[in-house]
């Protein structure tokens, strides 16, 4: 059913030829204005089908424009996805922690993501622009990550680099992001275990369209944008070692298939659809959902619901009020 | 005649901002401009993306500073039309400008109530500036790197 809805939406956006670049999920090649702070509050939620538990992720992101071309941001994530440490019985953990017979992990600070982006090419024309940017990111995670898929959005320590190309024409926006992720090893001394997610490459295609208004009358016009984002991602198998000996979960693929799928190499295409409401040309509210299209990510169960709020804090050193010029 | 004497245009700058496609982008440009001391008011046309900036003529003006505010917001300039103002070379009109300006063409046709095209690589799109560079070959090289008035 979800796949049918996705295909209908894909057809819908292919017919439309117009959007905006305030992509809820992907970063555009555009940057935060120089000297401006912004923040974003994020919430993702899904039901873990195997345990019927609701899994939540909360994030707060602070961003800043160092120059007109260089942006930095940091994101703090809190979730009930993982345990802070692996338990002593590692096999029982990997086989059963997605079932409701296993204790729930509770909420923890997942980690900190650091992101930097540099826009190195701009071609601006009337009502259109093309921009290219490079980015790098790093993450320090404070939890025991247990998936083969690395995600640096706070739940996996590691580094990543990538390239973004964004094109806007009138009300339509499209952006292509290609990136590579290299997760770091997680080591836990009390049970002498090393866990390393696979290296990953991904490509993200994001499109957006401004539904309302067709033409602006003022900054207070309420904006409604629609976004569709598609992520192709591949990653290698997780490497688990305990007491210096590799743990091969493929051996348990028949008896514990989910543990095996969660730890093996994989490739998938994910889709995310959002409605975005913008108030006063600054504060934006995004509401959407994510569903798998081809294969799936084992880091969540679809559909995953996403809500976020973002605003820029303009630093008005000298605030100008629009007032009529004095007559001569 | 009425329009002729309604001379507020004398203190008004018109800037065509390129790369804008949404009101959020326009707002970021306007917020950057508002930080500048000689900017009195800004009226941004969200559909044509032209910023009309009213200048406080009690302050010294610096067009480059105004242009940079657009680039600081992450966008570019398609055209930059300015009123006449005085410089260290030429005094013309009510305002005093911080830069050195050179007039292209005959100064006899200049009029304080008109707009002038500011020529320079930060004041217009690259393609237009490229055309100007070809026309300005006869000028000393150093002079092509500074803002230049052109009768509009």
């Amino acid at each position: 059913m979800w796949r049918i809805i996705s295909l209908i939406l894909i057809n819908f956006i292919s017919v439309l030829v117009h959007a905006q670049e305030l992509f809820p999920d992907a970063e555009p090649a555009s940057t935060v204005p120089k000297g401006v702070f912004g923040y974003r509050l994020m919430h993702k939620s899904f039901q873990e089908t195997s345990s019927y538990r609701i899994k939540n992720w909360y994030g707060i992101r602070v961003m800043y424009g160092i120059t007109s071309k260089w942006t930095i941001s940091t994101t703090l994530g809190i979730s009930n996805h993982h345990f802070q440490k692996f338990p002593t019985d590692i096999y029982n953990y990997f086989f059963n922690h997605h079932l409701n017979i296993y204790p729930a992990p509770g909420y923890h600070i997942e980690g900190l993501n650091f992101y930097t982006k540099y826009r190195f090419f701009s071609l601006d024309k009337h009502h259109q622009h093309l921009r290219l940017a490079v980015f790098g990111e790093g993450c320090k995670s404070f939890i025991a990550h247990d998936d083969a898929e690395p995600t640096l959005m706070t739940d996996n320590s590691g580094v990543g680099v990538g390239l973004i190309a964004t094109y806007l024409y009138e009300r339509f926006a499209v952006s292509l992001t290609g990136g590579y992720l290299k997760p770091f090893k997680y080591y836990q001394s009390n049970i002498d275990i090393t866990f390393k997610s696979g290296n990953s490459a991904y490509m993200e295609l994001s499109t957006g369209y401004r539904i309302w208004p067709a033409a602006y009358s003022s900054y207070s016009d309420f904006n409604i944008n629609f976004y569709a984002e598609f992520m192709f991602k591949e990653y290698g198998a997780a490497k688990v070692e305990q007491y210096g000996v590799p743990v091969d979960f493929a051996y348990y693929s028949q008896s514990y298939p989910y543990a095996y799928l969660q730890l093996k190499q994989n490739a998938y295409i994910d889709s995310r659809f959002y409605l975005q409401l913008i108030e006063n040309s600054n504060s934006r509210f995004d509401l959407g959902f994510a569903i798998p299209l081809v294969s799936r990510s084992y880091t969540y169960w679809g559909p995953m619901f996403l809500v976020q709020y973002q605003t820029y804090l303009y630093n008005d050193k000298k605030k100008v009020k629009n007032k009529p010029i004095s007559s001569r | 005649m009425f329009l002729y004497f309604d001379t507020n245009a004398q203190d008004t700058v018109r800037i065509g901002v390129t790369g804008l496609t949404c009101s959020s982008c326009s707002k970021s440009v306007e917020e950057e401009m508002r930080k500048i001391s000689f900017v009195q008011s800004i009226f941004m046309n969200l559909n044509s993306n032209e910023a009309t900036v009213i200048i406080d003529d009690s302050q010294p003006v610096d067009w480059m500073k105004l242009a940079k505010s657009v680039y600081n917001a992450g966008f570019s300039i398609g055209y930059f039309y300015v009123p006449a103002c005085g410089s260290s070379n030429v005094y013309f009109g009510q305002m005093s400008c911080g830069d050195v300006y050179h007039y292209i063409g005959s100064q006899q046709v200049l009029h304080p109530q008109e707009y002038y095209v500011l020529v320079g690589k930060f004041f217009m799109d690259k393609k237009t500036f490229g055309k100007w560079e070809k026309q300005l070959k006869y000028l000393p090289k150093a002079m092509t790197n500074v803002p230049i008035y052109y009768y509009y």
Side-chain angles (χ1 to χ4, degrees):
Chain A
M1 180 62 185
W2 287 107
R3 291 186 184 199
I4 293 169
I5 294 171
S6 300
L7 290 171
I8 291 169
L9 288 169
I10 291 166
N11 284 332
F12 174 69
I13 60 156
S14 65
V15 170
L16 295 171
V17 192
H18 288 290
Q20 296 298 300
E21 64 169 326
L22 307 167
F23 303 111
D25 208 50
E27 278 288 326
S30 299
T31 44
V32 176
K34 183 185 175 184
V36 172
F37 277 101
Y39 69 87
R40 183 186 292 188
L41 306 174
M42 297 169 277
H43 177 214
K44 298 177 184 179
S45 184
F46 62 87
Q47 184 177 45
E48 189 178 58
T49 308
S50 55
S51 68
Y52 303 108
R53 288 175 182 143
I54 301 298
K55 296 284 188 173
N56 293 305
W57 182 89
Y58 299 93
I60 180 166
R61 177 176 301 168
V62 179
M63 57 203 93
Y64 180 68
I66 294 180
T67 70
S68 61
K69 296 179 178 178
W70 184 17
T71 292
I72 55 170
S73 69
T74 183
T75 306
L76 174 74
I78 296 171
S79 82
N80 61 350
H81 291 187
H82 303 281
F83 289 86
Q84 276 187 308
K85 299 280 182 191
F86 287 130
T88 313
D89 186 352
I90 198 72
Y91 286 90
N92 184 33
Y93 172 79
F94 276 100
F95 293 153
N96 297 315
H97 75 279
H98 285 295
L99 302 174
N100 59 7
I101 56 170
Y102 202 86
Y107 284 91
H108 302 289
I109 293 175
E110 265 197 357
L112 276 170
N113 171 283
F114 301 96
Y115 181 92
T116 183
K117 175 172 63 178
Y118 185 78
R119 173 167 55 87
F120 64 90
F121 177 81
S122 291
L123 183 61
D124 288 348
K125 292 186 178 178
H126 187 60
H127 285 182
Q128 61 177 301
H129 69 233
L130 172 67
R131 283 150 185 215
L132 302 175
V134 288
F135 69 90
E137 61 180 325
C139 179
K140 172 59 185 168
S141 173
F142 308 119
I143 46 93
H145 186 72
D146 54 23
D147 298 303
E149 180 182 345
T151 52
L152 299 187
M153 198 39 69
T154 75
D155 66 351
N156 210 159
S157 292
V159 291
V161 291
L163 186 69
I164 311 167
T166 303
Y167 176 69
L168 268 82
Y169 180 72
E170 299 283 353
R171 294 157 66 185
F172 173 68
V174 61
S175 190
L176 194 64
T177 304
Y180 182 78
L181 303 177
K182 185 169 179 56
F184 295 155
K185 284 179 183 174
Y186 168 81
Y187 178 70
Q188 194 173 312
S189 58
N190 65 324
I191 52 173
D192 193 18
I193 188 171
T194 302
F195 184 94
K196 186 182 177 301
S197 300
N199 295 341
S200 174
Y202 64 92
M203 187 76 78
E204 191 165 14
L205 174 68
S206 304
T207 60
Y209 177 73
R210 190 179 79 221
I211 299 170
W212 181 267
Y216 290 110
S217 60
S218 77
Y219 286 126
S220 58
D221 284 350
F222 202 65
N223 278 219
I224 302 173
N225 299 325
F226 171 75
Y227 293 91
E229 303 189 57
F230 306 94
M231 160 95 82
F232 166 78
K233 191 171 182 180
E234 63 165 0
Y235 53 87
K239 290 178 182 169
V240 188
E241 278 187 15
Q242 192 169 29
Y243 307 117
V245 179
V247 181
D248 184 8
F249 282 93
Y251 181 74
Y252 304 98
S253 61
Q254 297 299 317
S255 49
Y256 296 99
Y258 194 82
Y260 167 65
L261 291 170
Q262 186 188 357
L263 294 166
K264 78 176 187 70
Q265 77 277 8
N266 187 26
Y268 67 86
I269 300 176
D270 215 16
S271 60
R272 294 169 192 228
F273 303 97
Y274 289 89
L275 266 184
Q276 181 177 74
L277 311 175
I278 301 179
E279 187 187 24
N280 289 326
S281 302
N282 187 10
S283 302
R284 69 185 229 207
F285 180 74
D286 305 329
L287 186 66
F289 62 91
I291 48 170
L293 274 187
V294 178
S295 187
R296 61 164 286 195
S297 165
Y298 290 94
T299 59
Y300 79 93
W301 272 258
M304 176 165 66
F305 297 96
L306 312 110
V307 181
Q308 56 190 24
Y309 172 83
Q310 177 178 310
T311 195
Y312 281 159
L313 306 169
Y314 290 101
N315 175 25
D316 295 342
K317 285 178 185 170
K318 177 228 161 211
K319 189 77 178 175
V320 174
K321 290 178 183 173
N322 276 356
K323 56 183 180 184
I325 191 166
S326 56
S327 57
R328 292 162 182 273
Chain B
M1 288 298 285
F2 173 78
L3 288 173
Y4 180 81
F5 286 108
D6 186 13
T7 57
N8 284 350
Q10 186 177 342
D11 300 324
T12 303
V13 174
R14 290 162 55 201
I15 305 171
V17 184
T18 54
L20 297 175
T21 61
C22 65
S23 62
S24 306
C25 313
S26 303
K27 183 160 188 166
S28 64
V29 172
E30 184 171 327
E31 292 288 346
E32 282 294 319
M33 287 181 174
R34 281 171 181 270
K35 295 176 186 172
I36 298 170
S37 60
F38 61 83
V39 171
Q40 181 168 318
S41 307
I42 305 156
F43 299 95
M44 180 73 82
N45 186 317
L46 300 176
N47 297 303
S48 68
N49 297 334
E50 182 178 273
T52 303
V53 183
I54 312 281
I55 302 300
D56 177 359
D57 60 16
S58 67
Q59 306 273 337
V61 301
D62 182 347
W63 301 137
M64 187 62 84
K65 201 171 178 181
L66 193 54
K68 278 188 175 175
S69 68
V70 175
Y71 291 96
N72 285 343
F75 297 92
S76 306
I77 290 174
Y79 58 86
F80 202 112
Y81 298 160
V82 296
C85 69
S87 74
S88 58
N89 270 15
V90 182
Y91 184 80
F92 199 83
Q94 301 297 313
M95 291 181 288
S96 64
C97 300
D99 295 317
V100 176
Y101 296 94
H102 302 274
Y103 294 91
I104 303 170
S106 170
Q107 289 189 35
Q108 277 75 15
V109 296
L110 294 176
H111 192 282
Q113 263 65 38
E114 298 288 352
Y115 281 107
Y116 300 92
V117 175
L118 207 52
V119 177
K121 67 177 180 179
F122 294 108
F123 299 105
M124 52 185 43
D125 61 82
K126 286 177 184 172
K127 195 175 174 183
T128 310
F129 182 63
K131 289 178 182 173
W132 272 107
E133 276 192 313
K134 286 178 186 172
Q135 293 181 40
L136 299 175
K137 273 183 181 173
Y138 66 91
L139 288 174
K141 201 170 183 181
M143 291 177 70
T144 60
N145 292 326
V146 297
I148 297 168
Y149 276 143
Y150 179 67
Y151 181 68
Y152 176 59

